[in-house]
Amino acid sequence: MAETNQPDGSRRDRAHHDVQIRTFLIADVRGWTLFTQERGDEAAAKLAAKFADVVREVVDARGGDLLELRGDEAMCVFSSAREAIRSAVDLQVRFVEETLDQPELPLTVGIGLDAGEAVAVQGGYRGGALNLAARLCGQARAGEVLASREVTHLARRLDGIRYEDRGALTFKNIPDPVEVVRVAPEELDTVERLRPFTPTPPLPPKRSRRWIVAVAVAAVLALVAIAIPLLGSDAPGPITLGSNAVTRLDAADGSVESTTSLRQRPGATVTGFGSVWVAYPDGRAVERLDAGDGTRTDTIEVGSSPSGIAIGHGSVWVTNAGDGTVSRIDPETGIVTEEFRAGASPSGIAVGDGALWVADGVGASLLRIDPASGRSDVVELDGQPTSVAFTEDGVWVAVAPDEVVLVDPDDLSITLTQPTGARPTAIVRAFDSIWVANDLDGTITRLDPSTGNEQATIAVGDGPASIVGAGERLWIAIEHDDAVVAIDPGTNDVERQLPVGATAASVASTGESLWLAVGASAGEHRGGTLAISSSGTLFDAPSLDPAIAYDPETWRVLTATNDGLVAYERVGGPAGASLVPDLASALPDVSADGLTYRFPLREGIRYSTGDPVRPEDFRRAIERAVLLHPAGLYLYSAIEGTSACTAEPPTCDLSDGIEVDARS
């Protein structure tokens, strides 16, 4: 069980209960099919984008999580029934405002709410609350919120909100009648305001859906991350591939065609020359598999920590993040014939226009390398590049923390900069669009390649790591959900989520076949004992208490055994220089003057005693550090009240400098 220290030095683990009380909000745009038929796909895409923007803004403001977005549908979860109800009412008010402001894009939405025990299982939530929320949503009119009696009982009365008894309704496959309550704002009839925009004839009742919400692994995240649901009825069920393997899937239905065991954890994957090429990021090798039957045919030694791989100019090119080089493999002989210097820590690579295009994450630059001479030109970037795609439009580069840039391959000028989601890590051109995987917020951003404008943002799951077009779908490896997801590029809908029972590392395509490389499931590493040994003077230190352990050797141990609000990602290669949320649920929101940092704390984190980890615990941890290690005062000198702590240690109080906002 992963453990961390609480402020007083005692231990806690990050286990969380399998059963949690949650309130689910499901929203659905009424008349979506009719709107699409009458107005066309372009208008439908604009309506979906508008719907998504409003839902994200309102739900986030109320402390909820948007678990899934499927064009005309959204599923959200709240730890507070009161905030779920407020969010539902806020949404309907916003939908009215947006519709009146832009009537050609009417947000005629029904919302359903239910609360109850939701069982966290691998790959999703299970529980009657999800089903009933979906049924209530299906019954709600445009502008209406329908909630179960249980939700309103938990929330009690709320200022500005009224409850209307709708009596008992009977739903298919739910044995007992359900007491239903309409929830509405006090001074606005949202149903009446939206009635002129509600499509006719009315839509038939929506079929019930089975919501499957992805849950983060306990050893990595303490609570739910982002969800994506829905295995189509014609799709294969969950499959178990085992650790460290490559499997070939039918890109039409996701069925398994073959599976090959690997020697170690896989990384980037590419296809070409009748083979599948898989990098081993923890070693110095690339594995070659036959693209026909998947058998291993060769293991080729390259540089340290191979992280990117591409095909072009009759060769296979591999970036080696550990030693700052690019290796050239001759596919005829399987021998590395050349090696070029490539910045400080190269990662993503593409081939085009007679050059290699390499993302140097640590060097914050894009390199154009001449494959004949090895000479390179440098494009300086304002961030950490992670992935590269060469297209007819130019060179697209995903740049952390949150943008993509387009580089002219002739003069190396940056011709376009477009915001994306948080930490874009993969980028491809497919189905006449640019697709970007955003690792930290679990989304795919779709861009118009001619303008760079955002066409859609699609929630896909926790940690999208790799993207490829295969068959008629876009396929995404979802690292932390142990799954692969398929998107219909015609509708931007997540058509399919296929749990695979192991960490989905990368995907590649050979036409109608999808090649998926998987590592070990994080669940395999739960439990056990961590033993720390040292051949040096580490344990001459008096303590491993983080408040008083101020030397490099003990810091190395504390980094491996303790958690902070944020941390560097614990992986090899250039990604290890990326700052990611740890006990915080997101990177801090920094004020314009750079003096205030606001951290949202993950829910559900508990100490080994079972007590919850509270926001004020972090303030107390810093107060302890000031009291117990005055020599480190300069680290916290910018916090208001620090000097008073040293003057009167027993009454140290940093509440003026570290404010706590504990939600009810």
Side-chain angles (χ1 to χ4, degrees):
M1 187 68 66
E3 295 183 332
T4 60
N5 275 13
Q6 57 178 321
D8 63 4
S10 61
R11 308 291 291 175
R12 62 97 174 154
D13 62 63
R14 284 189 287 178
H16 61 275
H17 299 295
D18 290 335
V19 179
Q20 303 165 346
I21 302 297
R22 291 289 182 264
T23 301
F24 293 92
L25 182 157
I26 297 177
D28 180 88
V29 179
R30 295 293 178 259
W32 174 263
T33 302
L34 185 60
F35 180 91
T36 303
Q37 291 170 348
E38 292 180 347
R39 307 285 185 88
D41 291 337
E42 183 175 353
K46 292 180 180 178
L47 180 62
K50 187 177 180 181
F51 173 68
D53 289 342
V54 173
V55 172
R56 285 195 188 92
E57 179 181 344
V58 172
V59 169
D60 183 68
R62 290 294 184 184
D65 288 320
L66 174 58
L67 299 180
E68 182 198 3
L69 193 60
R70 284 175 48 87
D72 64 328
E73 298 172 305
M75 177 184 177
C76 311
V77 65
F78 296 79
S79 59
S80 165
R82 298 169 67 86
E83 293 304 305
I85 286 179
R86 289 190 177 107
S87 183
V89 171
D90 289 350
L91 281 170
Q92 292 294 16
V93 172
R94 278 290 303 278
F95 291 149
V96 168
E97 295 171 350
E98 296 290 338
T99 300
L100 295 176
D101 181 62
Q102 201 172 8
E104 68 272 20
L105 296 176
L107 286 171
T108 50
V109 179
I111 295 177
L113 293 168
D114 190 34
E117 291 186 343
V119 181
V121 297
Q122 178 149 351
Y125 270 127
R126 300 290 187 273
L130 288 81
N131 296 329
L132 183 52
R135 301 294 178 85
L136 292 169
C137 175
Q139 290 292 317
R141 297 169 292 173
E144 190 172 50
V145 178
L146 295 183
S148 67
R149 178 67 68 185
E150 286 75 11
V151 175
T152 57
H153 174 74
L154 289 171
R156 303 295 182 181
R157 302 302 303 177
L158 297 171
D159 290 341
I161 295 174
R162 69 180 189 272
Y163 298 152
E164 299 175 7
D165 190 352
R166 288 287 299 272
L169 296 179
T170 301
F171 297 98
K172 184 179 178 181
N173 296 327
I174 297 179
D176 299 320
V178 176
E179 294 292 327
V180 178
V181 178
R182 181 189 175 194
V183 179
E186 286 277 11
E187 300 178 0
L188 177 66
D189 191 334
T190 52
V191 174
E192 287 300 318
R193 295 302 298 272
L194 289 175
R195 193 179 300 279
F197 307 95
T198 303
T200 57
L203 292 178
K206 297 177 71 68
R207 292 176 296 173
S208 63
R209 287 180 168 87
R210 182 185 181 192
W211 296 88
I212 305 173
V213 183
V215 179
V217 178
V220 182
L221 301 177
L223 194 66
V224 179
I226 286 188
I228 291 288
L230 298 186
L231 275 171
S233 59
D234 60 341
I239 57 177
T240 301
L241 303 180
S243 299
N244 302 334
V246 170
T247 196
R248 185 176 66 186
L249 305 173
D250 187 317
D253 62 12
S255 60
V256 176
E257 297 178 335
S258 66
T259 299
T260 303
S261 296
L262 297 176
R263 303 175 191 274
Q264 54 184 283
R265 178 176 75 93
T269 306
V270 73
T271 60
F273 306 109
S275 300
V276 180
W277 307 79
V278 185
Y280 286 150
D282 298 328
R284 306 177 65 94
V286 169
E287 194 76 70
R288 183 177 188 176
L289 285 69
D290 186 282
D293 58 16
T295 57
R296 293 200 309 261
T297 60
D298 199 3
T299 302
I300 303 161
E301 185 174 346
V302 291
S304 174
S305 300
S307 60
I309 190 165
I311 300 290
H313 295 301
S315 302
V316 180
W317 303 89
V318 183
T319 56
N320 306 301
D323 54 22
T325 62
V326 174
S327 298
R328 179 177 194 163
I329 300 175
D330 182 339
E332 295 294 326
T333 63
I335 295 173
V336 174
T337 58
E338 288 182 275
E339 190 173 87
F340 302 132
R341 293 299 308 173
S345 186
S347 52
I349 181 171
V351 183
D353 199 33
L356 308 179
W357 302 90
V358 178
D360 179 9
V362 173
S365 60
L366 173 70
L367 307 178
R368 181 178 64 184
I369 301 177
D370 182 346
S373 65
R375 185 181 65 84
S376 63
D377 298 301
V378 179
V379 180
E380 301 290 343
L381 300 172
D382 293 329
Q384 185 182 55
T386 58
S387 181
V388 186
F390 183 88
T391 74
E392 60 190 31
D393 318 295
V395 186
W396 292 88
V397 188
V399 183
D402 55 9
E403 68 181 20
V404 297
V405 300
L406 180 61
V407 176
D408 187 307
D410 296 324
D411 62 15
L412 300 185
S413 62
I414 296 176
T415 60
L416 182 152
T417 299
Q418 173 65 35
T420 63
R423 202 175 66 159
T425 54
I427 186 168
V428 298
R429 195 185 201 281
F431 306 110
D432 298 321
S433 294
I434 301 298
W435 305 81
V436 185
N438 305 306
D439 174 60
L440 283 185
D441 62 14
T443 63
I444 299 294
T445 301
R446 183 175 188 173
L447 304 176
D448 182 333
S450 61
T451 64
N453 293 337
E454 181 179 320
Q455 296 175 315
T457 297
I458 308 162
V460 291
D462 188 15
S466 177
I467 324 172
V468 72
E472 298 179 354
R473 297 178 178 87
L474 189 79
W475 292 86
I476 305 102
I478 310 297
E479 183 178 10
H480 302 311
D481 284 348
D482 293 356
V484 61
V485 162
I487 291 176
D488 181 345
T491 63
N492 295 326
D493 289 340
V494 174
E495 279 197 337
R496 186 159 297 156
Q497 182 194 45
L498 182 62
V500 296
T503 300
S506 60
V507 284
S509 170
T510 49
E512 295 303 312
S513 291
L514 174 74
W515 294 86
L516 170 66
V518 300
S521 171
E524 297 181 17
H525 303 288
R526 296 178 182 175
T529 301
L530 174 66
I532 302 173
S533 62
S534 173
S535 59
T537 60
L538 169 63
F539 290 107
D540 291 340
S543 173
L544 289 177
D545 184 336
I548 60 176
Y550 274 74
D551 63 83
E553 289 299 319
T554 51
W555 281 351
R556 291 170 59 187
V557 177
L558 293 175
T559 299
T561 59
N562 288 256
D563 289 329
L565 287 169
V566 295
Y568 288 107
E569 188 170 12
R570 292 180 172 92
V571 296
S578 300
L579 197 65
V580 297
D582 193 358
L583 295 179
S585 60
L587 293 176
D589 179 19
V590 183
S591 63
D593 59 11
L595 298 179
T596 301
Y597 288 68
R598 192 172 194 85
F599 294 86
L601 182 62
R602 292 193 186 282
E603 296 183 35
I605 312 172
R606 294 184 178 274
Y607 296 107
S608 57
T609 60
D611 294 332
V613 176
R614 305 166 302 167
E616 53 265 35
D617 294 345
F618 293 86
R619 180 171 64 206
R620 181 55 187 159
I622 296 178
E623 290 172 348
R624 286 187 71 245
V626 172
L627 292 173
L628 298 178
H629 200 283
L633 177 62
Y634 68 93
L635 293 173
Y636 309 104
S637 58
I639 299 174
E640 188 173 347
T642 303
S643 58
C645 285
T646 57
E648 298 182 66
T651 60
C652 181
D653 182 0
L654 298 181
S655 57
D656 289 338
I658 306 176
E659 298 180 358
V660 173
D661 178 13
R663 294 182 182 271
S664 59

